[in-house]
Amino acid sequence: MNTRLLKWLALLVLLALVAAGVWRAWSARQAQQEALATATAGREQPVVELAATDAVRAEQRQLTQGLPISGSLKAVNSALVKARAAGELQGLAVREGDRVRAGQVIARIESTEYAARVRQAQEQAGAAKAQIEIAQRQWNNNKALVDQGFISRTALDTSLNNLNAAQANHQAALAAVEVARKSLDDTVVRAPIAGFVAQRLAQPGERVGIEARIVEIVDLSRLELEATLSAADSLAVRVGQEAQLQVEGKPEPVRARVARINPSAQPGSRSVLAYLAIEAPAGLRQGLFAQGTLHTGVVRAVAVPLSAVRTDKPAPYVQVVENDQVLHRTVHPGARGAVGAETMVAVTGLNEGALVLRASVGPLREGTAVRFSGAHPHPSPLPPAGEGATARPRPAATP
């Protein structure tokens, strides 16, 4: 009995020692956590200071949608003057940049041979006319003889046929004269339209053949941009839509308007050509490169700057400020458009009036404390009608 009691007493003492050790460890752990919490609470949480321009309100805006377009300027009216007669080119005095009038003589082709052909054709026409006079007298004589009964009716019919043949030969000779005169007129090269000489493709004294190119003339009073559109983009393009173009070498933008749309797609690429008339072509030249935006419609929606939508997470999001802290709000981008010089995007999943950080701030962790050095960003004031953005006034709120 004494041995069993001693064993139980030893076991109880051992359990008491273990329990005391566990309690001391737990107490030390709790003390450490309380000390850490106290130290953390004593330290001031860092605050990121932002400028008022680092944030923008999500507001209802009127977005002007558009398609990017580019191409080279071309003259609506241009002419490539070609030789219509073969021979030596003479009197070509116009050069690149010279202004010419419609119908102005710009060159001649040596015409001695063509003038001789006109004279030859005229002489042949005169000979044919003399044959008519001879056949006419013969027919008159035969008719008198038939009336007196001296010759048969057959002889009169033969003389009539000879008269008709002579008259036909005379008409053919007159036509040959016209053809020869036409060839002579073709030796004078005239400008078909008014404009400026863009290229001189032949030199005086050079022998040119028929259809040889001599000069190119362009009319700079009407210029247009030939824009290539994809099949999908062309569905939104209509005649009369306006565009803002930036022409190389010209600092201010140029306005244009869709004048025509090609009804057929281009073979192979299946692209569609649209032709935009330049409204103020003064000072512009054919061949200059231009690019810009074709305005295809207007959408009104809650919008933020496109650069403010971040994509470094699986889903697009924006950084908003609420209660002086940064929060991440998942959004669904929609239609894009221009508001002044800034590209905006319509978003869903964001309340109107939310304070959104711009891309210039960079990524901040959720819960980061922020404060603004100046006044909080206010909603944009209502712009004048037709300037692209409309916003309702909203009082400033503490983010």
Side-chain angles (χ1 to χ4, degrees):
M1 291 296 294
N2 292 335
T3 303
R4 181 176 299 178
L5 180 59
L6 291 175
K7 288 182 179 179
W8 277 107
L9 289 175
L11 181 59
L12 289 175
V13 172
L14 179 61
L15 290 176
L17 293 175
V18 171
V22 171
W23 182 81
R24 285 196 300 270
W26 179 81
S27 298
R29 179 73 173 178
Q30 286 294 105
Q32 184 180 4
Q33 289 180 351
E34 290 177 0
L36 180 61
T38 302
T40 303
R43 291 198 305 265
E44 182 181 357
Q45 185 177 3
V47 178
V48 177
E49 187 169 344
L50 301 175
T53 55
D54 290 332
V56 62
R57 295 281 181 182
E59 301 170 349
Q60 286 278 346
R61 296 181 183 271
Q62 187 170 296
L63 306 180
T64 301
Q65 293 184 289
L67 296 174
I69 56 175
S70 62
S72 298
L73 300 184
K74 293 184 178 181
V76 176
N77 296 322
S78 63
L80 190 60
V81 182
K82 298 181 180 180
R84 292 182 293 178
E88 181 182 332
L89 187 63
Q90 299 175 344
L92 179 60
V94 296
R95 304 191 68 87
E96 292 82 354
D98 288 343
R99 181 190 290 273
V100 295
R101 305 180 308 275
Q104 176 182 337
V105 177
I106 58 177
R108 297 179 183 274
I109 294 175
E110 206 281 323
S111 60
T112 303
E113 180 181 350
Y114 297 97
R117 291 179 181 177
V118 171
R119 293 194 299 270
Q120 180 184 19
Q122 289 174 338
E123 295 297 331
Q124 290 175 347
K129 186 176 181 180
Q131 292 297 323
I132 291 177
E133 295 175 354
I134 295 174
Q136 184 70 49
R137 287 196 299 269
Q138 184 179 4
W139 183 82
N140 292 337
N141 293 336
N142 287 344
K143 187 177 184 300
L145 293 175
V146 167
D147 293 340
Q148 297 174 8
F150 289 107
I151 61 175
S152 65
R153 188 74 184 180
T154 302
L156 179 62
D157 293 339
T158 300
S159 61
L160 179 60
N161 291 336
N162 291 337
L163 175 60
N164 293 335
Q167 291 175 340
N169 289 336
H170 181 245
Q171 294 297 323
L174 292 178
V177 172
E178 295 300 321
V179 172
R181 284 177 177 168
K182 174 64 169 56
S183 297
L184 181 60
D185 290 341
D186 288 344
T187 61
V188 180
V189 182
R190 293 181 171 86
I193 62 172
F196 294 89
V197 176
Q199 294 185 81
R200 191 168 87 161
L201 304 168
Q203 300 300 326
E206 180 181 347
R207 184 169 183 82
V208 295
I210 298 177
E211 296 297 319
R213 301 185 299 172
I214 299 177
V215 295
E216 181 185 6
I217 301 173
V218 295
D219 179 10
L220 298 180
S221 63
R222 295 177 60 195
L223 295 176
E224 64 182 12
L225 172 69
E226 184 181 84
T228 302
L229 306 174
S230 66
D233 290 342
S234 65
L235 299 179
V237 179
R238 300 288 183 272
V239 173
Q241 290 175 338
E242 295 186 352
Q244 290 284 342
L245 303 177
Q246 194 66 47
V247 182
E248 59 178 337
K250 191 174 180 66
E252 60 273 9
V254 177
R255 296 182 62 184
R257 189 180 300 271
V258 178
R260 309 185 312 280
I261 303 174
N262 198 316
S264 302
Q266 299 297 301
S269 64
R270 304 301 180 190
S271 58
V272 178
L273 297 179
Y275 305 90
L276 285 76
I278 307 300
E279 292 190 357
L284 300 179
R285 296 290 183 266
Q286 178 175 255
L288 293 179
F289 181 77
Q291 60 182 352
T293 302
L294 174 61
H295 301 226
T296 57
V298 175
V299 173
R300 186 174 177 81
V302 176
V304 297
L306 177 62
S307 58
V309 179
R310 308 191 63 85
T311 57
D312 51 358
K313 284 187 177 183
Y317 71 97
V318 294
Q319 299 181 127
V320 300
V321 177
E322 293 183 7
N323 299 324
D324 294 333
Q325 287 188 338
V326 175
L327 300 177
H328 294 178
R329 290 283 184 262
T330 301
V331 295
H332 301 282
R336 300 182 184 181
V339 176
E342 189 170 24
T343 301
M344 308 291 287
V345 58
V347 294
T348 56
L350 188 65
N351 294 331
E352 183 179 359
L355 195 58
V356 179
L357 297 183
R358 294 184 177 273
S360 58
V361 176
L364 297 177
R365 297 180 60 181
E366 281 196 281
T368 301
V370 296
R371 68 166 174 260
F372 290 92
S373 57
H376 293 168
H378 290 265
S380 301
L382 286 171
E387 292 190 1
T390 304
R392 295 196 297 266
R394 175 183 299 273
T398 302

